[in-house]
């Protein structure tokens, strides 16, 4: 047989989803993958059932049902300060995942450079490869995950097509400040390039942190693609409904890629998503309260167990340093540490190297997701306490 595509040879399968599979086989608490272990709001599920019964069961308008695009436009004006036209500026996609790859496919020419902050959500690496973009990485440094402005400025050049921003951030929990986003905007304007911003954790914020959309900063609406989805805000990761907002000339390109990739996101679920976007502010307040409790509990648990951690300002992830535990656990690197943690304590995490283009940078880190019930996190606490006391736990 002739060789298969070089493109797909160059990236590995998702380590996050691999850890989930190992955890499912071994049994344990899955703090590896970012999906809730509690159910989605009842009234949104009811809206989906209603949409199916009302006959919304055929192909949708390929770039999104009008009702959902209108709901998105209203919500982003209210929450993000972004003005967009539902007819020309929004593409509804199969999750933020499709929105990102469709955007890159729509805007990148082979050899164009894209800037990615590192550590990064693991999809961005393969996304760059699939779109033919040349990634340039800019470090976010622990404990507070700041970048060095000089390093960022040096990453931009005449080949830069776009910078990818993810705020609140997976895996670090960083929330980009207004000042940082203004600094990035200046560079985008200077080098005439796009900002592609993944804001799917925009409602998951702690200790009064504020979410800023770069598209709301002066001069940026014309050069920003804002990506979002219902996966995290409404605990509906399996529905696969997301969107990209961009000025009409960019949207028309994204829509073409999207149409031929997937035709559309599931019709009845788009109608239920429109309902979800109309939920009152109290819904978002309750979501924050839930996650604030979960964050505080996991943070305390990891500190007690001997991990090096800093408090995330947003999203539902924590990167934990394993330096003080590695020797005791007999783990040479992050991968064996994650496997041992499943084996000895029944707790799944993601090896830190999966979030870096330079794997050695993540060798002493693992990532935990805390989008789990308090009862789940309490059980994790018991197991990690036993492990820290030198008594392996086989739950
Ligand atoms: C930063 C980020 N973007 C996108 C996704 C995937 O989003 P969706 O489920 O909408 O495809 C995830 C999932 O974990 C994520 O963390």
């Amino acid at each position: 047989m002739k060789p298969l595509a070089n493109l797909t040879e160059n990236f590995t399968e998702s380590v996050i989803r691999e850890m989930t599979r190992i955890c499912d086989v071994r049994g344990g608490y899955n703090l590896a993958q970012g999906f809730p272990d509690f159910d989605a709001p009842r009234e949104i599920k009811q809206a989906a059932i209603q949409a199916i019964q009302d006959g919304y069961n055929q192909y949708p308008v390929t770039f999104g049902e009008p009702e959902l695009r209108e709901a998105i436009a209203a919500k982003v004006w209210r929450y993000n300060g972004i003005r967009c036209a539902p007819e020309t500026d929004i593409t509804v996609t199969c999750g933020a995942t499709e929105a990102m790859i469709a955007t890159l496919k729509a805007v990148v020419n082979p050899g164009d450079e894209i800037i990615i902050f590192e550590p990064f959500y693991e999809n961005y690496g393969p996304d760059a490869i699939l779109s033919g973009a040349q990634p340039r990485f800019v470090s976010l440094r622990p404990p507070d995950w700041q970048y060095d402005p000089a390093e960022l400025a040096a990453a931009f050049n005449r080949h830069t097509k776009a910078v990818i921003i993810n705020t609140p951030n997976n895996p670090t929990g960083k929330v980009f400040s207004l000042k940082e986003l203004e600094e990035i905007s200046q560079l985008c304007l200077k080098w005439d390039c796009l900002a592609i911003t993944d804001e799917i954790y925009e409602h998951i914020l702690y200790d009064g942190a504020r979410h800023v959309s770069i598209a709301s900063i002066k001069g940026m609406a014309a050069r920003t693609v804002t990506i979002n989805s219902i996966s995290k805000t409404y605990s509906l990761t399996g529905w696969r409904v997301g969107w990209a907002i961009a000025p009409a000339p960019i949207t028309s390109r994204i829509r073409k890629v999207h149409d031929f990739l997937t035709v559309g996101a599931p019709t009845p679920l788009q109608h239920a998503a429109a309902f979800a976007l109309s939920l009152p502010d109290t819904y978002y307040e309750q979501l924050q309260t839930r996650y604030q409790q979960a964050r505080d509990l996991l943070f305390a648990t990891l500190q007690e167990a001997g991990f090096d951690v800093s408090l995330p300002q947003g999203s539902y992830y924590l990167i934990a340093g394993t330096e003080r535990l590695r020797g005791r656990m007999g783990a040479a690197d992050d991968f064996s540490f994650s496997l041992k943690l499943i084996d000895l304590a029944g707790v799944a995490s993601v090896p830190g190297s999966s979030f870096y283009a330079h794997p050695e940078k993540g060798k002493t880190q693992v990532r935990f997701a805390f989008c789990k019930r308090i009862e789940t996190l309490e059980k994790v606490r018991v197991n990690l306490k036993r492990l820290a006391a030198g008594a392996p736990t086989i739950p």
Side-chain angles (χ1 to χ4, degrees):
M1 195 167 55
K2 289 180 178 152
L4 303 179
N6 297 337
L7 270 185
T8 47
E9 200 180 317
N10 290 341
F11 54 82
T12 52
E13 282 183 43
S14 159
V15 177
I16 299 177
R17 295 181 273 284
E18 185 185 345
M19 284 298 150
T20 291
R21 284 193 294 274
I22 295 173
C23 182
D24 286 347
V25 172
R26 153 71 177 76
Y29 304 110
N30 184 356
L31 305 196
Q33 203 172 351
F35 63 85
D37 69 349
F38 48 87
D39 205 0
R42 197 184 51 80
E43 62 270 40
I44 310 181
K45 293 193 294 182
Q46 204 51 47
I49 293 163
Q50 194 60 49
I52 290 171
Q53 278 172 348
D54 288 348
Y56 290 108
N57 298 306
Q58 308 309 325
Y59 293 126
V61 174
T62 176
F63 43 82
E65 291 288 89
E67 193 184 330
L68 176 54
R69 281 181 285 121
E70 274 154 31
I72 293 167
K75 171 137 192 302
V76 298
W77 173 233
R78 206 172 59 239
Y79 185 67
N80 308 77
I82 299 173
R83 265 206 195 286
C84 68
E87 308 76 39
T88 54
D89 302 349
I90 299 175
T91 311
V92 174
T93 55
C94 294
T97 303
E98 191 214 330
M100 181 59 77
I101 188 66
T103 299
L104 290 173
K105 281 285 197 194
V107 304
V108 164
N109 285 313
D112 283 352
E113 293 186 6
I114 56 172
I115 296 173
I116 300 176
F117 290 94
E118 184 189 41
F120 53 85
Y121 171 53
E122 65 162 7
N123 279 32
Y124 300 158
D127 283 347
I129 295 171
L130 286 173
S131 63
Q134 193 60 44
R136 262 185 188 264
F137 298 95
V138 172
S139 298
L140 299 173
R141 296 198 171 83
D144 52 4
W145 305 107
Q146 301 285 337
Y147 61 80
D148 171 1
E151 187 190 344
L152 178 66
F156 281 80
N157 63 58
R158 65 193 176 83
H159 302 293
T160 310
K161 178 57 72 68
V163 53
I164 295 184
I165 298 153
N166 170 219
T167 182
N169 186 259
N170 172 11
T172 64
K174 175 184 174 69
V175 175
F176 282 73
S177 68
L178 174 61
K179 184 172 164 287
E180 289 172 323
L181 293 169
E182 282 174 343
E183 195 165 59
I184 298 168
S185 301
Q186 287 308 315
L187 290 164
C188 289
L189 292 163
K190 176 175 174 190
W191 293 102
D192 188 22
C193 57
L194 302 172
I196 304 175
T197 171
D198 175 341
E199 301 184 4
I200 67 167
Y201 298 102
E202 66 178 2
H203 284 287
I204 303 175
L205 298 161
Y206 309 110
D207 308 326
R210 193 176 139 239
H211 173 68
V212 180
S213 291
I214 195 167
S216 69
I217 292 175
K218 195 162 174 277
M220 289 305 290
R223 54 177 69 248
T224 299
V225 182
T226 305
I227 289 173
N228 214 318
S229 88
I230 61 169
S231 290
K232 312 292 175 170
T233 304
Y234 306 102
S235 308
L236 289 164
T237 57
W239 280 21
R240 315 309 304 132
V241 179
W243 54 87
I245 301 172
I250 302 176
T251 292
S252 80
R253 301 290 189 100
I254 297 173
R255 284 181 176 182
K256 284 187 235 179
V257 178
H258 156 75
D259 191 5
F260 291 109
L261 273 180
T262 63
V263 178
T267 312
L269 305 186
Q270 290 195 38
H271 286 268
F275 168 79
L277 291 177
S278 71
L279 287 176
D281 289 348
T282 46
Y283 172 76
Y284 304 100
E285 286 156 18
Q286 282 161 10
L287 185 79
Q288 290 205 4
T289 307
R290 169 191 271 275
Y291 281 132
Q292 178 104 31
Q293 259 184 308
R295 181 202 69 163
D296 292 348
L297 177 53
L298 183 67
F299 181 77
T301 299
L302 294 176
Q303 266 194 326
E304 261 169 25
F307 288 90
D308 297 309
V309 278
S310 50
L311 271 175
Q313 304 165 289
S315 84
Y316 46 53
Y317 304 99
L318 255 181
I319 286 206
T322 58
E323 207 70 273
R324 286 185 284 149
L325 293 167
R326 256 158 28 108
R328 188 139 51 84
M329 301 260 295
D333 60 15
D334 56 322
F335 212 90
S336 59
F337 187 93
S338 279
L339 291 177
K340 290 244 168 186
L341 203 62
I342 300 183
D343 241 17
L344 299 176
V347 177
S349 59
V350 182
S353 56
S354 16
F355 304 102
Y356 291 87
H358 314 91
E360 64 288 352
K361 289 191 186 170
K363 224 176 143 183
T364 59
Q365 298 173 349
V366 292
R367 188 201 72 176
F368 294 96
F370 52 85
C371 43
K372 309 292 165 179
R373 285 172 296 153
I374 293 298
E375 304 90 86
T376 308
L377 296 172
E378 293 283 10
K379 287 176 185 152
V380 166
R381 186 175 206 167
V382 170
N383 285 10
L384 289 185
K385 242 185 180 159
R386 281 201 209 134
L387 185 73
T393 331
I394 305 296

